[in-house]
Amino acid sequence: EGDRLIGIASSGIHSNGYSLVRKVFNDLDREFNGRPIYETLLEPTKIYVKPVLSILDKFTVKGMAHITGGGFIENVPRMFNGGELTAEINKDSYPLPAIFEDMINKGVNRDHMYNTFNMGIGFVLCVDEKDVDAVIKELIELGEKAYEIGVVTAGGEGVCLK
């Protein structure tokens, strides 16, 4: 309890939620951030193994979650191994990628999206509060974008989005 959650930025939508994406985006040639939107939608999925192995080599990591299908809601609680813990995620702790903002502007419920998409965070690490700054610094030195995105508290809520 009191451990911190560090999110590593995703490279985009990755491979999840494409049934919803097809319903939301019907003009795939439209320009989005200076290129056709289909290029943004097809951005390759980032692989986290090298930076995560480096962190595991240098720090005590208490839990990890790859944010895939099921978004934050289904994936983050898996790191608790059935424990009575809650991941409190601060939605404003990192920049939401423009593609997700565009989906929200097209009418997709923002909170629902946290149960489908990675919402800009592809991997979450749970570390001791004293290691947060050093882990983030290391991830940045490894070329990643990383943010303190939340805290672990007692009680079995799973995920609480704030």
Side-chain angles (χ1 to χ4, degrees):
E1 183 181 341
D3 293 327
R4 299 298 190 252
L5 300 171
I6 295 174
I8 305 174
S10 67
S11 55
I13 290 180
H14 290 182
S15 58
N16 305 106
Y18 275 90
S19 294
L20 180 56
V21 166
R22 282 194 304 273
K23 290 178 184 172
V24 172
F25 298 108
N26 51 17
D27 182 6
L28 296 178
D29 290 323
R30 121 175 123 88
E31 186 177 307
F32 183 79
N33 286 347
R35 61 185 187 163
I37 196 162
Y38 71 83
E39 289 182 12
T40 298
L41 296 172
L42 295 176
E43 190 73 41
T45 300
K46 179 181 274 242
I47 305 299
Y48 300 93
V49 67
K50 287 181 182 178
V52 170
L53 286 174
S54 180
I55 294 300
L56 288 171
D57 204 33
K58 298 176 182 177
F59 301 95
T60 299
V61 175
K62 299 180 178 185
M64 299 182 288
H66 193 203
I67 310 304
T68 60
F72 281 88
I73 306 302
E74 292 181 26
N75 291 289
V76 173
R78 291 181 182 151
M79 78 170 74
F80 300 148
N81 198 23
E84 294 292 314
L85 300 170
T86 297
E88 293 183 3
I89 306 288
N90 178 354
K91 295 184 287 190
D92 296 325
S93 60
Y94 66 94
L96 186 64
I99 191 67
F100 297 117
E101 288 284 0
D102 198 52
M103 293 177 78
I104 292 164
N105 291 338
K106 290 183 173 298
V108 180
N109 179 282
R110 178 184 173 118
D111 288 340
H112 172 72
M113 289 176 63
Y114 283 89
N115 199 50
T116 303
F117 298 105
N118 66 57
M119 299 302 281
I121 299 294
F123 204 91
V124 176
L125 300 166
C126 179
V127 301
D128 191 281
E129 182 178 13
K130 69 176 174 47
D131 291 331
V132 169
D133 292 341
V135 170
I136 290 174
K137 182 176 186 272
E138 178 73 16
L139 287 165
I140 290 169
E141 287 174 3
L142 293 167
E144 300 296 331
K145 293 177 185 167
Y147 313 92
E148 183 178 350
I149 64 166
V151 63
V152 178
T153 60
E157 297 284 325
V159 174
C160 175
L161 300 168
K162 296 184 168 204

